[in-house]
Amino acid sequence: MLIDSHAHLDSERYAADREAMLIRARQAGVGLVLSIGIGEGPAEMHQALGLCREFNGRPGLPRLYASAGIYPHNTTQADDGALAKLDALLAEPEVIACGEIGLDYYHEGAPHNVQRTGLIRQLEIAAARKRPILIHCRGTNESTDAWDDVFLVLEEYRKRTGLGGIMHCFGGGWEQARRSLDLGFLVSFAGNLTYPKAQPLRDVAARMPLDGILVETDAPWLAPAPRRGQRNEPAMVVETAQVLAGVLSVTPDEIASATTTNFFRLFPSSKTWETDRGTPGGSPQIV
Ligand SMILES: [Zn+2]
């Protein structure tokens, strides 16, 4: 079984075939998908939870969990009302993570100081709800500026709370990967790992310990190499896992087993349904 640790299932690009898309994922061996709850802004943060409630329990689908968070460029909308909504969502048993949150200095958008304040306020809420965080981090071109700022915040946060998280769609260098591992964070690889020009990223992945990795699609974006530019979907996480297996010189089964174990270690509550019900995609068992 594989876990897609990051997919935007609430994207309107799935409006016409969302259930069929999820069935394809299950048939490809994907047993669980973490559905990211950022929407197009805080007003849509609840949509991922809505999908858990809509689809969990239907036969032949992966089990769905959700996150909720305010994306870096939407932090201009992180007012008291939006943060109260985030707090309420993180109280729900299906909403196991806070994210994706972080810093994005690559694209023009929210000012950097607004992003940092938004990140810190969301970390407070995640800590109070004991929810691991999903970090989006992208620097200005080749610079590590956003990473340097994110580590300043996270190293302090880790010391204070002991809480971990995931570096989603990892695109940093070895220094950033090593610091993430030192923080106890998991490093998640997406379809960009498969792109011809991504040899530097594959070189970083080749140095990763098996107990520090996850795979994800970031669907509907970042379809793996043969289908780059097309709509991505959770079934295609299999291709990223295959490339990662090659890079690490292990079998695809070993990648599946390691990434699943790592996910359940970070989110123990998401394992309960599997052990209670035996088969992924079975009836939900929420604790
Ligand atoms: Zn994402």
Side-chain angles (χ1 to χ4, degrees):
M1 165 182 145
L2 270 168
I3 292 177
D4 181 355
S5 71
H6 193 112
H8 297 264
L9 299 180
D10 64 337
S11 166
E12 61 185 26
R13 294 171 73 185
Y14 303 121
D17 67 340
R18 194 172 278 110
E19 182 163 24
M21 176 269 292
L22 290 170
I23 289 170
R24 283 195 293 277
R26 185 72 199 94
Q27 286 170 343
V30 178
L32 190 157
V33 181
L34 182 53
S35 178
I36 303 306
I38 55 168
E40 296 286 330
E44 297 181 350
M45 236 181 332
H46 59 282
Q47 290 180 164
L49 172 61
L51 294 178
C52 294
R53 294 188 171 157
E54 183 178 351
F55 289 106
N56 280 337
R58 293 195 199 175
L61 274 62
R63 174 80 171 130
L64 303 185
Y65 285 92
S67 74
I70 302 169
Y71 188 72
H73 287 303
N74 294 330
T75 49
T76 48
Q77 301 168 57
D79 56 18
D80 289 345
L83 294 167
K85 177 175 176 175
L86 173 63
D87 181 56
L89 283 168
L90 293 182
E92 298 293 334
E94 298 101 322
V95 186
I96 58 175
C98 178
E100 58 187 277
I101 61 176
L103 300 175
D104 187 314
Y105 298 171
Y106 183 80
H107 295 102
E108 281 292 312
H112 298 179
N113 64 325
V114 173
Q115 293 190 36
R116 285 193 292 269
T117 304
L119 170 62
I120 289 165
R121 294 194 71 186
Q122 293 185 85
L123 287 177
E124 303 292 334
I125 294 166
R129 292 288 178 196
K130 295 195 164 41
R131 292 293 194 255
I133 52 180
L134 315 175
I135 292 292
H136 168 106
C137 187
R138 194 159 179 202
T140 315
N141 297 319
E142 302 297 300
S143 167
T144 60
D145 51 1
W147 282 106
D148 298 340
D149 287 355
V150 114
F151 282 124
L152 275 180
V153 173
L154 291 185
E155 279 161 8
E156 163 65 25
Y157 177 76
R158 176 75 179 184
K159 248 182 272 164
R160 199 162 39 81
T161 68
L163 287 167
I166 299 173
M167 295 304 185
H168 129 74
C169 190
F170 185 76
W174 173 247
E175 172 68 13
Q176 288 73 40
R178 187 193 56 74
R179 285 178 82 175
S180 302
L181 294 170
D182 287 349
L183 276 174
F185 273 55
L186 295 172
V187 172
S188 183
F189 292 98
N192 52 333
L193 184 76
T194 68
Y195 296 167
K197 285 185 180 163
Q199 193 55 44
L201 183 58
R202 286 189 289 276
D203 291 342
V204 171
R207 299 173 70 175
M208 292 296 294
L210 280 180
D211 65 0
I213 54 169
L214 291 173
V215 284
E216 65 172 76
T217 53
D218 205 14
W221 299 288
L222 291 176
R227 280 176 280 207
R228 186 173 185 178
Q230 295 177 24
R231 188 188 74 168
N232 197 1
E233 59 179 60
M236 296 190 206
V237 78
V238 175
E239 292 162 35
T240 298
Q242 266 166 1
V243 168
L244 187 57
V247 164
L248 281 163
S249 303
V250 298
T251 65
D253 278 354
E254 285 173 289
I255 293 294
S257 159
T259 53
T260 299
T261 301
N262 296 341
F263 187 91
F264 287 147
R265 192 174 68 241
L266 185 60
F267 302 111
S269 71
S270 69
K271 192 172 196 302
T272 312
W273 65 276
E274 186 207 37
T275 46
D276 286 357
R277 299 290 174 151
T279 50
S283 304
Q285 176 79 22
I286 295 163
V287 289

